[in-house]
Structure formats: structure tokens, C-alpha cells
Amino acid sequence: MQKQLILGIETSCDETAAAIVSNDKDIIAHQVYTQLEYHIHHGGVVPEIAARAHVEKISPVVETCIKDADIDIKDIDAIAATCGPGLIGGVMVGMVYAKSLAATLNKPFIAINHLAAHVLTPRLISHIEFPYLCLLVSGGHTQFLLVKSAEDMKMLGQTRDDALGECFDKSAKMMGLPYPGGPEIEKLASKCVDIETALEKFDLPRPLSKTEGCNFSFSGLKTAMRQYIEGFPEGFILKENASQLAYSFQVSITDTLMDRCKNALLMAQDLTGEKTTRLAIVGGVAANQFIAETFKEFTKEQGIDLYVPPPVLCTDNGAMIAWAGQEKLALGITDSLDFKATPRWPLGKTADSR
Ligand code: KG4
Ligand code: ZN
């Protein structure tokens, strides 16, 4: 196999990221600049600030990648960039940067759907064959997909309101924790010692559990969190209550994901005509080790192989974009420099038919 290198660029939210990945799954260089300092005081990502920060950081991030890889930029065989979905200002920065490089170097440009890149990441780190069931849990999306090929993904269910990452972030904010809230809640929950008391004291809902299908709804859980938090005296965050609430929140989420997953496995089986034996969990929330560990036990019992990327490849990164580029290139697909940034780009649809 001839070695092919792809530079992947990601700028759809608050990470300015780039990576160089080979077609034999070698992550040769990998840089992520997290814009936390720009957004932390706002309690969330401010699109305009994010776009400006991407403009500032994109060149140094890409240049450091090339230097770390110890290659000449001309050795790159193609340039891939997120073209959607995401915050349009940021997407434009990475996409235009990638197109300019492609034009200057006379190399192919590959337009990447950010969600597809998350979904294909398990194939970068493991040998996972199509088809597989994928649970995508990120800051903007929560859905189950039957992944039939790099270009053919069928959505089986999704959230009707908040995305799971959003539910983590908003609940954390209510608890007085900084952004992004997911990792903060995980840290706090790990400090909970009396888990039985935690579950008794904070009886949170498992939305849509025991109903048909594999849709989600997290707004009720957020409201239940608010009610508990508002019932506390000021400063509760320093006390045992906070870690117990965080623990119960994670258990409620994991139970819900598991309940929905059981139905999704059957739905996938109906579509493929065979037992689903491969499950991947991807996206920022998949970095949560409590969720990953609980799913490990469940899938072991069920005889299912579980694939969860390492945390650094769950949250937004350039390697997943470069790898999604490799998957498209292997199918002989590249894109024109006219490709438009696509802020809404559901999986299973082309950018033009969205
Ligand atoms: O995939 P991602 O980096 O960006 C999007 O495409 O949205 O996901 C970001 C989301 C945030 O909501 C963040 O709080 C959540 O992933 N997240 C976590 C953890 N690490 C990141 N949620 C729960 N536990 C974590 N350890
Ligand atoms: Zn993402």
C-alpha cells in the first residue's frame, strides 16, 4: 500500500485543531488548541469570538503539525476540512484555509461532515468492520446511527430537545461549575463515596425509558436538576450533596443511554437481518469514563464488541477529520473548491440536499 498523508483541519466549534494521518492509520502529528480562555467567562461558546480565535490560531496550529511530522508541506497528499455542521464563522475559517492550501499545493480538497468524522473515528483506532451501530453523543448532537459505509449512515433515533453534551454543560453551569461542564461533572461524581444515599436522595428521571424506539429527551432531566439545585442553600457545591447529585446525574444518563441502546440494537438487527455485534460510542461525551465503563460491562454480557475512542479522539480533533478524509479518498471521492460551508448538514444527506 502506497503511503498517503492527509492533513485534517477542524474549526467547527471552539477547538482549532489539525492533524496529519496516513492511510495506514498512523497519527503522524496532532495539535488541538482549545479556546477555553476566550469562552470561560461567558459560560459557553460565543460564535463571533470563536471565529476570530480560529483566524488567529489556524496557521500556528497547522505549521506546528507540519513541523512535528518532520515533513515538507508538499508531502501532504490531500487536505480535508470540516465543512459543517457547526458554527458557520468557524467552519468558514478552517474550510477556506484548507481550500487555499489545496489550491496553492495543487492537491485534492476533501469536504468533511463533522458528525461523520466522529462516527468513523473508531475505524482509525481499531479494526471495526461495517456495518456497526454508533451512538453519537456530543455537544450539539445525540443520535443512534447504523453505519453501513463511510458514505452510508442511517439515523435510527435522535434527541427531541437538548443534546447530551448540552445537558451536561447546562446542568454544570447551574451547579456553578465552569464550561465545559461534562468533564467537571465527571470529576465531581468520582468524589461521591456514598452512592446508595446519592441515588436515594437524588431521584432523577430516565426520560423516554421503556418507550419504543431510540429517541432521547434531556430537557426534563435538566429541569429536575434545576429543582434540586434551587432547593439547596448557597455554597452547597462545596458539600457532599454536590458530588452525590453529580453521581446520580451520571447514573440517570447511563441508564437512559442503555435503555435506548437495547432498542437501537434490535432496530439495527431488523435492518441488517443479523445480530448487531459491533457498537461504537463517539463524540465528546464518550470521553466520560463512567459511561464507557458501564457500557463495557453491558456489551460484554451481550457478546457485543464495544469501540470507544480514547478521550482525546472523542472530543473535537483534527485526526478524525484527516481520517474521514482517508475514508473518502479510499472511495475515490474528493470535492471541488466550490464546496459550500454547510452549517446544517444531517448525516445521510448530501450537503446540497440538506
Ligand atoms: O464532540 P465535542 O468535542 O464537540 C461537539 O461536536 O459538540 O463535544 C463536546 C461536548 C461538551 O458538551 C462537553 O461537556 C462534553 O462533550 N464532554 C463530556 C466529557 N468531555 C467532554 N461530557 C461528559 N463527560 C466528559 N468527560
Ligand atoms: Zn464534535
Side-chain angles (χ1 to χ4, degrees):
M1 180 167 58
Q2 206 198 338
K3 196 138 174 143
Q4 297 254 25
L5 301 183
I6 295 191
L7 168 67
I9 294 177
E10 160 58 37
T11 55
S12 68
C13 192
D14 58 342
E15 260 94 25
T16 313
I20 298 165
V21 175
S22 68
N23 50 339
D24 58 358
K25 306 191 176 187
D26 195 4
I27 303 176
I28 292 162
H30 169 58
Q31 282 287 317
V32 181
Y33 172 73
T34 302
Q35 304 175 351
L36 217 52
E37 56 186 308
Y38 289 83
H39 305 290
I40 198 152
H41 304 296
H42 300 274
V45 180
V46 182
E48 171 70 22
I49 296 177
R52 285 167 188 262
H54 286 306
V55 171
E56 224 172 86
K57 299 293 177 187
I58 186 75
S59 276
V61 163
V62 171
E63 279 161 20
T64 309
C65 258
I66 303 286
K67 203 165 144 236
D68 288 355
D70 199 17
I71 56 166
D72 190 292
I73 193 152
K74 293 195 200 88
D75 299 334
I76 300 282
D77 295 291
I79 295 126
T82 299
C83 291
L87 302 173
I88 185 73
V91 169
M92 291 286 286
V93 175
M95 186 190 75
V96 170
Y97 189 92
K99 283 181 181 175
S100 326
L101 262 186
T104 313
L105 301 170
N106 197 22
K107 301 286 164 123
F109 167 72
I110 308 173
I112 302 299
N113 178 309
H114 178 91
L115 306 179
H118 275 302
V119 169
L120 293 169
T121 304
R123 287 170 49 84
L124 166 60
I125 50 142
S126 316
H127 181 74
I128 171 168
E129 278 173 23
F130 299 120
Y132 57 93
L133 178 66
C134 185
L135 169 58
L136 165 64
V137 274
S138 70
H141 296 82
T142 302
Q143 45 193 241
F144 275 109
L145 298 142
L146 176 62
V147 189
K148 292 185 262 184
S149 80
E151 286 287 292
D152 186 0
M153 301 175 188
K154 185 175 169 48
M155 200 211 291
L156 306 181
Q158 65 175 326
T159 182
R160 293 178 179 167
D161 39 56
D162 291 352
L164 185 53
E166 201 180 343
C167 180
F168 265 101
D169 293 339
K170 288 180 176 165
S171 301
K173 195 174 176 181
M174 290 189 275
M175 294 175 81
L177 299 169
Y179 177 86
E184 296 293 328
I185 290 194
E186 182 174 12
K187 252 187 268 163
L188 193 57
S190 70
K191 293 189 185 132
C192 173
V193 276
D194 190 352
I195 58 181
E196 269 169 35
T197 308
L199 298 178
E200 251 169 55
K201 200 152 76 175
F202 301 110
D203 185 16
L204 293 165
R206 273 89 173 131
L208 295 184
S209 282
K210 312 279 177 265
T211 63
E212 268 183 29
C214 60
N215 285 328
F216 298 95
S217 164
F218 292 108
S219 62
L221 176 59
K222 199 178 61 190
T223 307
M225 287 291 282
R226 174 175 296 118
Q227 283 164 352
Y228 276 125
I229 293 163
E230 285 175 356
F232 285 125
E234 298 256 346
F236 85 99
I237 203 75
L238 301 171
K239 306 205 177 93
E240 175 72 351
N241 272 337
S243 61
Q244 289 177 343
L245 181 60
Y247 182 83
S248 179
F249 177 75
Q250 277 194 164
V251 171
S252 148
I253 283 168
T254 311
D255 283 355
T256 307
L257 293 178
M258 205 87 79
D259 174 272
R260 307 286 72 203
C261 187
K262 286 175 190 158
N263 288 0
L265 286 165
L266 294 175
M267 289 164 79
Q269 180 173 327
D270 280 350
L271 288 166
T272 60
E274 53 189 47
K275 182 176 185 286
T276 311
T277 54
R278 291 176 290 278
L279 171 69
I281 311 180
V282 302
V285 182
N288 185 297
Q289 294 306 295
F290 181 82
I291 296 177
E293 286 301 319
T294 316
F295 265 90
K296 220 182 260 174
E297 281 167 32
F298 163 73
T299 47
K300 202 170 160 201
E301 277 164 22
Q302 304 282 322
I304 293 168
D305 294 325
L306 177 68
Y307 302 83
V308 185
V312 68
L313 295 179
C314 286
T315 47
D316 290 350
N317 65 87
M320 70 181 197
I321 306 303
W323 176 250
Q326 291 285 8
E327 294 264 17
K328 277 184 86 167
L329 200 60
L331 296 173
I333 307 170
T334 60
D335 293 284
S336 131
L337 293 180
D338 291 337
F339 197 96
K340 292 197 177 47
T342 309
R344 289 186 182 280
W345 184 2
L347 281 176
K349 300 244 164 61
T350 62
D352 295 334
S353 67
R354 66 198 181 274

